[in-house]
Amino acid sequence: GAVVSQHPSWVICKSGTSVKIECRSLDFQATTMFWYRQFPKQSLMLMATSNEGSKATYEQGVEKDKFLINHASLTLSTLTVTSAHPEDSSFYICSARPGSDEQYFGPGTRLTVT
Amino acid sequence: GNSVTQMEGPVTLSEEAFLTINCTYTATGYPSLFWYVQYPGEGLQLLLKATKADDKGSNKGFEATYRKETTSFHLEKGSVQVSDSAVYFCAILPGANSKLTFGKGITLSVRP
């Protein structure tokens, strides 16, 4: 149980285009979902927290107009990187929390912007 | 504020060696403590957790004990395998519905 999927697992896009990443909790309902960014050989950096049906809360320094988050249902959250640039290339990981304690992580999405 | 400090890596061990990865934390209140593991190219998997003092979390031969007096949650395994090669993250959850705070992670390489 407690499986979180992400799609796509990797994506290459051209500079200036937008990319959408989906995060789904497959066998539980997630009241809260999180989006992280991870640079090579570094820890996870929390980008934003989203609750179903409400606006996401972004961490300091994260551009909310660039990284659009939509928590459409209790099992789906999407991250859209708008007008992507090479510096947005990274490993993006989502996680979902069914209650107040444990968090389950997706397998990650590798984004490369050329 | 809340923070997690992990020992510097990377760590390279021979198969069947004993493993200790240190983790200490600072937190307000009474946090829950976690160890996550990340295999190459993958997301994080929960390895074990502990929610109160003196609790011992265990999984796949790994163990960690919640030491409130030393604010530590060191990860141990008696005999590592090549398949344990991964990045290990210590994390704390300061309170219910709060945000996880991660350590920097440490890379473990186990050679045959």
Side-chain angles (χ1 to χ4, degrees):
Chain A
V3 177
V4 176
S5 70
Q6 279 184 243
H7 178 79
S9 55
W10 59 270
V11 57
I12 302 172
C13 70
K14 292 188 175 181
S15 188
T17 62
S18 295
V19 174
K20 180 184 285 188
I21 302 170
E22 290 188 351
C23 175
R24 293 181 185 272
S25 55
L26 298 185
D27 48 5
F28 64 96
Q29 293 186 328
T31 53
T32 306
M33 287 186 167
F34 303 86
W35 286 96
Y36 296 84
R37 184 172 179 178
Q38 186 180 33
F39 292 101
K41 300 188 186 299
Q42 294 190 23
S43 190
L44 280 71
M45 181 191 79
L46 179 64
M47 299 174 65
T49 303
S50 71
N51 293 292
E52 185 264 341
S54 61
K55 289 185 178 180
T57 302
Y58 290 81
E59 295 298 302
Q60 192 171 11
V62 177
E63 300 175 60
K64 62 181 181 181
D65 294 331
K66 180 166 188 62
F67 299 99
L68 300 179
I69 292 171
N70 182 23
H71 195 151
S73 73
L74 286 172
T75 59
L76 173 64
S77 176
T78 60
L79 167 68
T80 301
V81 183
T82 62
S83 186
H85 289 94
E87 58 265 30
D88 299 324
S89 298
S90 193
F91 194 52
Y92 292 88
I93 302 174
C94 75
S95 72
R97 180 183 286 173
S100 61
D101 190 345
E102 289 194 24
Q103 234 170 276
Y104 301 96
F105 287 80
T109 297
R110 174 78 57 195
L111 170 63
T112 301
V113 185
T114 60
Chain B
N2 303 306
S3 67
V4 178
T5 302
Q6 289 185 234
M7 60 184 278
E8 293 288 327
V11 173
T12 301
L13 296 173
S14 297
E15 202 166 25
E16 299 184 359
F18 183 85
L19 169 72
T20 299
I21 300 177
N22 289 341
C23 172
T24 58
Y25 66 90
T26 58
T28 53
Y30 210 139
S32 293
L33 309 179
F34 303 84
W35 276 100
Y36 285 90
V37 59
Q38 184 178 32
Y39 297 101
E42 299 183 12
L44 272 66
Q45 299 176 27
L46 178 64
L47 181 59
L48 52 85
K49 72 172 188 177
T51 58
K52 61 182 188 293
D54 301 323
D55 263 4
K56 178 185 285 188
S58 61
N59 186 26
K60 300 181 180 179
F62 291 90
E63 294 183 338
T65 301
Y66 192 141
R67 300 290 187 198
K68 188 168 174 59
E69 64 278 10
T70 55
T71 61
S72 64
F73 194 52
H74 304 323
L75 182 68
E76 296 182 337
K77 186 172 185 180
S79 176
V80 293
Q81 305 300 311
V82 172
S83 57
D84 293 328
S85 299
V87 181
Y88 292 82
F89 293 94
C90 183
I92 65 171
L93 189 68
N97 299 313
S98 61
K99 294 179 284 191
L100 278 173
T101 297
F102 287 94
K104 290 187 175 181
I106 187 169
T107 300
L108 170 65
S109 297
V110 180
R111 53 175 185 253

